Amino acid sequence: MKASAVRGHLDGLLLSVLESGPLHGYAVITAVQERSNGVLELRKGTIYPALNKLERLGLLRSVWESEGERRRRCYELTDAGRRSLAAERSVWNEFTTAIGAVLAPAPNPGHST
């Protein structure tokens, strides 16, 4: 799927995969890919700036964790992030309902073609 299809929805995707608990950046990428059955493949060059932006906005917080010799930054939702995710879901539901009504309208039994 084209990267442009995700544009405008990336914040919601990232917040959603972090809802269940803290993840490091690569695990966020993997979670999005797995949840989308491989359709959405995010690049590091897209994900890390977005995670940093969400942290600057107070929607995420991060901590450095060590696993053996490797240090990773793990991100988790803040309360503001949970509220933002709820708002993103509401907007998404409105959007998909409206688009669905146009692209796949319900049959109108009183109207013949």
Side-chain angles (χ1 to χ4, degrees):
M1 182 170 283
K2 294 180 183 175
S4 62
V6 176
R7 196 171 297 129
H9 304 290
L10 182 59
D11 292 355
L13 294 172
L14 299 178
L15 294 172
S16 181
V17 298
L18 289 164
E19 183 178 31
S20 59
L23 294 171
H24 56 82
Y26 183 75
V28 170
I29 293 169
T30 302
V32 170
Q33 188 172 10
E34 287 175 357
R35 284 192 188 186
S36 70
N37 292 316
V39 174
L40 301 176
E41 293 185 30
L42 303 177
R43 289 180 161 60
K44 286 190 249 180
T46 300
I47 192 100
Y48 288 106
L51 290 168
N52 290 330
K53 178 191 79 167
L54 292 171
E55 186 172 18
R56 280 193 314 275
L57 293 172
L59 305 179
L60 298 179
R61 70 178 141 257
S62 68
V63 295
W64 284 100
E65 293 186 354
S66 295
E67 185 177 305
E69 295 292 317
R70 173 180 270 167
R71 289 190 64 204
R72 296 177 175 175
R73 181 169 272 193
C74 288
Y75 299 87
E76 67 180 325
L77 289 181
T78 61
D79 289 340
R82 291 185 192 288
R83 289 190 299 274
S84 181
L85 176 57
E88 290 273 349
R89 284 184 171 142
S90 178
V91 168
W92 175 254
N93 287 333
E94 254 182 64
F95 176 76
T96 57
T97 298
I99 296 297
V102 174
L103 291 179
N108 186 345
H111 185 334
S112 60
T113 45

